[in-house]
Amino acid sequence: MMGLMQQQPLLISTLIKHAERHHGDAAVVSRRIEGDIHRYTWSEAAARARRVANALDGMELAPSERVATLAWNGYRHLELYFGVSGSGRVLHTINPRLLPEQIAWITNHAKDSVLCFDLTFLLIVQQIHAKCRSIRHYVALCDADRLPRDTGIPGLMSYEAWIDAQSDAYEWPSFDENAASSLCYTSGTTGDPKGALYSHRSTLLHAFATALPDAMSLSARDAVLPVVPMFHVNAWGLPYSAALAGCKLVFPGPALDGKSVYELIEGERVTFAAGVPTVWQMLLNHVKEKSLRFSTLARTVIGGAACPPAMIKSFREDYGVEVLHAWGMTEMSPVGTLCTLKNRQLGLPPAEQEAVRLKQGRALFGVDMKIADRDGHELPWDGKDQGNLLVKGPWVVREYFKGAGGDPLVNGWFPTGDVATIDSDGFMQITDRSKDVIKSGGEWISSIEIENIAMAHPAVAMAACIGVKHPKWDERPIVVVVKKAGATVTREELLKFFEGKTAKWQVPDDVVFVDAIPLGSTGKMLKAGLREMLNEYCLPSLRR
Ligand code: ADP
């Protein structure tokens, strides 16, 4: 016997329809590339998204054709999120921090038909358009009177002129919820980038799950600031979950420095923000330096890289802001786990609670996870055994776009490339990426643990731990450190700082001070780049 409930596909257009009808007056505020603040409402966003859909129909774009973006977080990008996917095309967000040739490669691989870009990236588009074989239309995300002349970009038009010519009456089409909705390429630290192709169904289920109380706990009373870029895994799904919950949305545009982000948080009474640790470090530095307070910010999701314990502590204890440590990846839409305490843990002494908050957290409903040893045998959830982390669920990739890299699954599970422990309460903790873990004398040393200790030293601004070849131990850890401006600390002082904080054999063999640690296109430390930088390096014990 079948159930007798209505069949309604889970489509991205239903989110914008809901936001317009039930939260039409909620604000969407954006800092523009010109520096000024633009504000309107969800209902105006919905009307303009319908114009986008009509404009794409006008270009005779078939269902599933790709519309690419090179854009900051802002209202026009939001309209494309809904106008492109809602009308049955695929939104392909490209990370503008990639090299121009990588961007050209990606647009060709994705066979993008349209490219919409912020004028910040005009130079990139001028450099690559001749190589982008599939792109038929170029749209600059600007007013008609700001459209640059003589760019050499064929048929370049302004977004405002493009959608102004359209009606805002549009009937969102209904189709299979498994249809592709958006495309995001992994940053490709190893080999060519691979595309994760999300569906309407996966996007909606992810939005439901991330909005829940033990996840991001989004509500119509929240003002949400996605500092995480809309080109980085759909800003962790926030444009969708904010529409679902009816939140006010606040977009930072290109201004990600501490001062600009702080002003937006205070000015727009932001209650919830999300971003990678490097951005929050800039914010905390600004707030500390100027002795400021947060008057409305209550929660912040920090993920994409391990959040240093000192950051969680400072947000919580100095500023009363709850940090939700989260873990995920492009292949997971991206959220897999979030760290919110269970009732039992609220009764734990502060130090033990702190140790829990450091973990990457519990799996969302919809994500299953396990850890396995090298031979694929599942390991116990005892918080000690560490193994390769595998996941599955309706918003985890089954295969990459165009079958790149072959079948990624192992018996139906997606291997994340991360190494982790899981404790008996189900809290997962990443100890490393499998390629960064340091193998010393047959034992594994967590580079994240070493970095966390170094980062707790008051003179350290940034720390990266890498393994260096050793004839006896295979590898030994060293820690590469950027000092805070004006701070002093010696190699010996820093090594002493490790005493009692980790097992003796895990203490790094050396400290190397550098001016900067190379960062990747999503703001994460680039360990491969760092190893290259130090390829002449020799451990002190091996020097003659
Ligand atoms: P890429 O894999 O291309 O660098 P992703 O944004 O998909 O880009 O990164 C996913 C990876 O980032 C994860 O596999 C994990 O190694 C790391 N990561 C994400 N969140 C965390 C976190 N909270 N703690 C530690 N590592 C994290």
Side-chain angles (χ1 to χ4, degrees):
M1 185 161 58
M2 302 300 284
L4 293 175
M5 295 295 119
Q6 298 178 7
Q7 267 295 1
Q8 195 180 306
L10 300 174
L11 297 176
I12 286 174
S13 56
T14 62
L15 290 172
I16 189 84
K17 271 164 56 177
H18 173 83
E20 179 178 28
R21 191 164 166 80
H22 301 278
H23 305 281
D25 61 348
V28 176
V29 179
S30 314
R31 191 191 295 278
R32 294 204 270 205
I33 60 171
E34 293 83 3
D36 62 339
I37 300 281
H38 172 274
R39 47 182 85 240
Y40 69 177
T41 60
W42 270 110
S43 113
E44 286 165 278
R48 283 168 52 98
R50 291 195 296 272
R51 285 178 190 266
V52 170
N54 277 324
L56 296 170
D57 283 359
M59 287 176 167
E60 298 186 351
L61 243 65
S64 296
E65 272 196 64
R66 267 75 68 202
V67 176
T69 61
L70 276 173
W72 299 110
N73 292 7
Y75 63 104
R76 292 179 179 126
H77 209 172
L78 182 75
E79 294 157 12
L80 288 164
Y81 260 57
F82 291 102
V84 172
S85 305
S87 67
R89 284 85 182 198
V90 174
L91 182 80
H92 174 201
T93 49
I94 304 180
N95 184 340
R97 296 186 186 127
L98 294 173
L99 297 173
E101 51 272 32
Q102 288 175 312
I103 296 177
W105 185 93
I106 289 178
T107 68
N108 286 326
H109 189 266
K111 273 201 165 176
D112 294 324
S113 305
V114 183
L115 175 61
C116 303
F117 62 94
D118 272 328
L119 285 179
T120 321
F121 310 117
L122 175 64
L123 215 60
I124 299 180
V125 182
Q126 283 179 303
Q127 271 174 285
I128 64 170
H129 69 83
K131 297 181 204 141
C132 299
R133 295 184 297 274
S134 56
I135 299 178
R136 305 196 297 275
H137 306 280
Y138 289 90
V139 180
L141 297 170
C142 64
D143 292 330
D145 59 359
R146 286 191 180 257
L147 187 71
R149 312 258 160 245
D150 306 322
T151 59
I153 301 168
L156 180 65
M157 61 187 131
S158 97
Y159 177 83
E160 292 301 329
W162 182 47
I163 69 165
D164 259 4
Q166 307 296 329
S167 153
D168 63 11
Y170 181 82
E171 195 64 41
W172 296 109
S174 183
F175 44 80
D176 188 337
E177 64 185 20
N178 291 299
S181 61
S182 47
L183 177 63
C184 194
Y185 279 71
T186 61
S187 43
T189 38
T190 49
D192 283 334
K194 296 197 278 288
L197 185 62
Y198 312 113
S199 70
H200 287 259
R201 174 184 157 82
S202 70
T203 305
L204 261 83
L205 292 177
H206 179 265
F208 275 121
T210 50
L212 285 172
D214 260 8
M216 299 187 191
S217 190
L218 298 178
S219 83
R221 292 163 300 286
D222 276 313
V224 171
L225 174 74
V227 177
V228 51
M230 290 166 86
F231 55 75
H232 188 196
V233 215
N234 301 326
W236 301 346
L238 284 166
Y240 306 118
S241 49
L244 176 149
C247 312
K248 170 179 175 177
L249 257 180
V250 183
F251 289 123
L256 303 180
D257 60 286
K259 180 171 182 286
S260 306
V261 171
Y262 178 79
E263 283 171 5
L264 213 49
I265 289 175
E266 287 301 301
E268 297 302 327
R269 304 190 61 77
V270 167
T271 57
F272 175 95
V276 296
T278 36
V279 170
W280 291 144
Q281 195 60 56
M282 292 194 279
L283 177 67
L284 274 183
N285 291 348
H286 173 75
V287 171
K288 266 188 198 147
E289 209 173 280
K290 303 270 185 245
S291 306
L292 303 167
R293 308 292 309 163
F294 292 110
S295 42
T296 53
L297 187 66
R299 308 181 311 286
T300 168
V301 176
I302 304 186
C307 181
M311 186 179 283
I312 301 185
K313 212 170 144 90
S314 180
F315 264 122
R316 232 182 111 67
E317 292 175 10
D318 304 339
Y319 300 103
V321 178
E322 189 75 32
V323 169
L324 304 168
H325 196 191
W327 166 84
M329 57 198 309
T330 308
E331 289 88 337
M332 300 180 69
S333 302
V335 184
T337 66
L338 260 142
C339 194
T340 47
L341 268 48
K342 288 181 172 173
N343 223 1
R344 189 183 72 70
Q345 288 151 334
L346 291 175
L348 292 175
E352 285 178 46
Q353 268 192 35
E354 218 174 275
V356 180
R357 285 182 212 282
L358 261 191
K359 300 189 176 195
Q360 278 74 4
R362 294 182 275 138
L364 296 180
F365 168 75
V367 172
D368 196 4
M369 62 182 180
K370 67 173 183 180
I371 43 174
D373 65 16
R374 246 165 288 179
D375 303 320
H377 299 125
E378 191 166 347
L379 294 168
W381 291 20
D382 59 8
K384 292 191 196 79
D385 276 325
Q386 48 176 310
N388 296 317
L389 179 65
L390 296 104
V391 290
K392 64 171 163 183
W395 57 84
V396 177
V397 286
R398 182 175 71 222
E399 58 181 282
Y400 289 100
F401 187 42
K402 297 186 176 169
D407 179 4
L409 304 189
V410 179
N411 298 325
W413 292 79
F414 178 77
T416 61
D418 288 324
V419 178
T421 61
I422 305 178
D423 68 20
S424 54
D425 287 309
F427 283 69
M428 184 274 286
Q429 183 160 29
I430 301 278
T431 53
D432 240 314
R433 293 197 107 167
S434 52
K435 58 179 189 298
D436 294 334
V437 75
I438 295 151
K439 292 163 192 113
S440 176
E443 299 283 349
W444 286 4
I445 298 175
S446 157
S447 65
I448 294 180
E449 191 186 330
I450 304 297
E451 286 156 10
N452 282 347
I453 296 171
M455 290 285 290
H457 191 284
V460 173
M462 203 185 269
C465 173
I466 55 171
V468 177
K469 286 265 163 286
H470 189 283
K472 178 167 173 202
W473 301 111
D474 191 17
E475 275 182 339
R476 286 297 302 155
I478 63 163
V479 62
V480 184
V481 166
V482 180
K483 280 187 258 188
K484 283 191 187 149
T488 48
V489 60
T490 64
R491 170 187 182 273
E492 287 67 31
E493 281 163 355
L494 208 52
L495 290 177
K496 198 155 173 43
F497 187 68
F498 278 87
E499 276 176 23
K501 298 193 175 75
T502 185
K504 247 192 174 142
W505 61 273
Q506 298 190 344
V507 173
D509 278 12
D510 198 8
V511 179
V512 177
F513 293 101
V514 295
D515 292 336
I517 288 171
L519 297 181
S521 55
T522 51
K524 301 186 201 187
M525 294 191 291
L526 264 190
K527 298 246 173 123
L530 198 57
R531 286 192 199 96
E532 221 164 85
M533 206 168 108
L534 297 176
N535 66 354
E536 304 273 302
Y537 172 85
C538 181
L539 286 167
S541 59
L542 304 177
R543 285 178 205 157
R544 304 175 185 220

